[in-house]
Amino acid sequence: MAADEFDIIRKLFAPLATSAAARGLVDDVALLDARGALVVTTDAIVEGAHFLADDPIETVAKKALRVNLSDLAAKGAKPVGVLLTLIWPRSRDAAQLAQFARGLGEDLQHYNVPLLGGDTTSTTGPLTVSITAFGEPLGARTPARADARAGEQVWITGVIGDGFLGLLSLTDMPEMEGAGVRARYWTPNPPVAFTPEIARFASASTDVSDGLIADAGNIARASGVAIRLDAEAIPLSQYGHAFVSCEGDAGLVKLVTGGDDYQALFTAPAEQRWEIVRAAKRAGVDVALIGDVEPGEGVRLVGGGGRVIDIPNAGHSHKLGR
């Protein structure tokens, strides 16, 4: 990082810290007014593991924020502030710092989230961006992975698989068309608008980052239940449907284990089904009923005629390559 750290903070990041809690980024701390419980999450993204070295730098900033907002949304918590730790490679053009800050600023404004502070440093290693996000619970309870009960239904927001397809189009299948899937990989679209409904309806909930199967497995394991997923009910984009049409069950398995979806997976009592559908319509968020919680353990992906689809590898490994 060629420029002085304090100059970088003053010129690029202090203008983003508009909340009084941030103290203009000239103090050692921020002062967050917490009247009750806070939901806290931290996710780091690392060049070569979570994004490619030549991904547009402004999308790296946005992805770092959005993967954390995805965690909060899945817990029914409204974001109230974030801390940024930016570890910038000495080998990367310092001029990209302004683009990074601009991209982050656009998303902070879009999601109405204040930057409270953080840290910047340089490294001989890869670009690393870590964000800690604080959220205010919107419900009387914060849904945990361990709260699913047999007899409940399983829901997912958005679509599954486009993050995986976006990465595929940038690495192993550059001939794949569709800027839309690349955008889903670069800048996921967490269901922030559905946060109040998750707080209202969800029993158990988690964000889908490591793949639908892996994250459903996290709920099943923590809750001591089994989860049955209906393969034909899993929402796919036009790119996902085309991929499955070409590759069949193997293609679907790749989509539900590929990761980088950043949607909310949650369970709710069956009697709330139509309330959830109506609430999603009001919020302008797509939701799909994709399965059931049952006695037992593990996750089953069930296709037409009740046939169980084999899943040799349940989730995303966080290793990228060309």
Side-chain angles (χ1 to χ4, degrees):
M1 191 175 290
D4 178 81
E5 176 186 3
F6 296 104
D7 282 343
I8 291 169
I9 293 171
R10 177 174 56 84
K11 293 176 181 178
L12 299 181
F13 294 108
L16 309 183
T18 56
S19 167
R23 297 184 165 186
L25 299 192
V26 297
D27 207 341
D28 294 324
V29 299
L31 188 62
L32 189 60
D33 184 14
R35 296 182 177 87
L38 284 175
V39 177
V40 183
T41 184
T42 297
D43 266 318
I45 61 172
V46 181
E47 179 184 321
H50 305 94
F51 61 92
L52 301 170
D54 55 358
D55 283 351
I57 192 64
E58 64 273 15
T59 70
V60 174
K62 292 180 178 183
K63 186 171 191 175
L65 178 64
R66 294 183 187 199
V67 301
N68 282 277
L69 298 186
S70 176
D71 279 329
L72 293 183
K75 297 303 177 183
K78 174 186 175 182
V80 296
V82 297
L83 299 174
L84 166 70
T85 298
L86 178 61
I87 304 174
W88 193 267
R90 295 190 181 101
S91 59
R92 186 177 278 266
D93 185 358
Q96 290 187 4
L97 274 165
Q99 296 171 273
F100 179 95
R102 184 167 58 249
L104 180 62
E106 289 172 356
D107 254 21
L108 290 171
Q109 184 175 25
H110 175 73
Y111 290 107
N112 192 28
V113 183
L115 176 65
L116 301 176
D119 194 16
T120 60
T121 189
S122 60
T123 181
T124 57
L127 173 59
T128 301
V129 188
S130 178
I131 285 182
T132 299
F134 303 89
E136 175 189 351
L138 297 184
R141 52 174 290 278
T142 298
R145 289 176 177 175
D147 292 339
R149 298 292 178 263
E152 292 186 328
Q153 296 177 322
V154 181
W155 297 80
I156 189 75
T157 62
V159 298
I160 292 297
D162 277 6
F164 165 79
L165 291 176
L167 176 60
L168 200 63
S169 74
L170 291 164
T171 54
D172 298 333
M173 294 181 64
E175 72 279 4
M176 180 184 292
E177 297 181 1
V181 290
R182 295 190 186 103
R184 288 288 179 89
Y185 162 68
W186 283 328
T187 50
N189 186 28
V192 174
F194 201 62
T195 301
E197 286 70 32
I198 292 173
R200 178 182 173 191
F201 295 113
S203 296
S205 186
T206 187
D207 89 319
V208 178
S209 54
D210 294 330
L212 176 60
I213 299 300
D215 288 307
N218 289 335
I219 289 179
R221 186 165 47 254
S223 297
V225 296
I227 290 181
R228 177 189 185 277
L229 298 177
D230 179 356
E232 295 180 352
I234 294 171
L236 307 177
S237 70
Q238 64 187 57
Y239 307 106
H241 282 294
F243 188 72
V244 173
S245 293
C246 291
E247 299 212 4
D249 284 352
L252 178 62
V253 169
K254 290 177 182 177
L255 297 184
V256 297
T257 59
D260 276 333
D261 297 299
Y262 300 106
Q263 295 298 323
L265 176 71
F266 64 98
T267 71
E271 59 268 22
Q272 293 182 330
R273 175 178 181 176
W274 298 113
E275 288 185 76
I276 292 171
V277 171
R278 287 191 291 269
K281 186 175 181 179
R282 288 193 299 270
V285 175
D286 292 328
V287 299
L289 173 58
I290 60 170
D292 297 284
V293 182
E294 302 174 335
E297 62 182 19
V299 178
R300 290 183 301 142
L301 181 63
V302 180
R307 114 196 117 74
V308 177
I309 298 173
D310 183 51
I311 304 171
N313 181 21
H316 178 46
S317 67
H318 291 296
K319 293 180 181 179
L320 306 181
R322 286 214 180 263

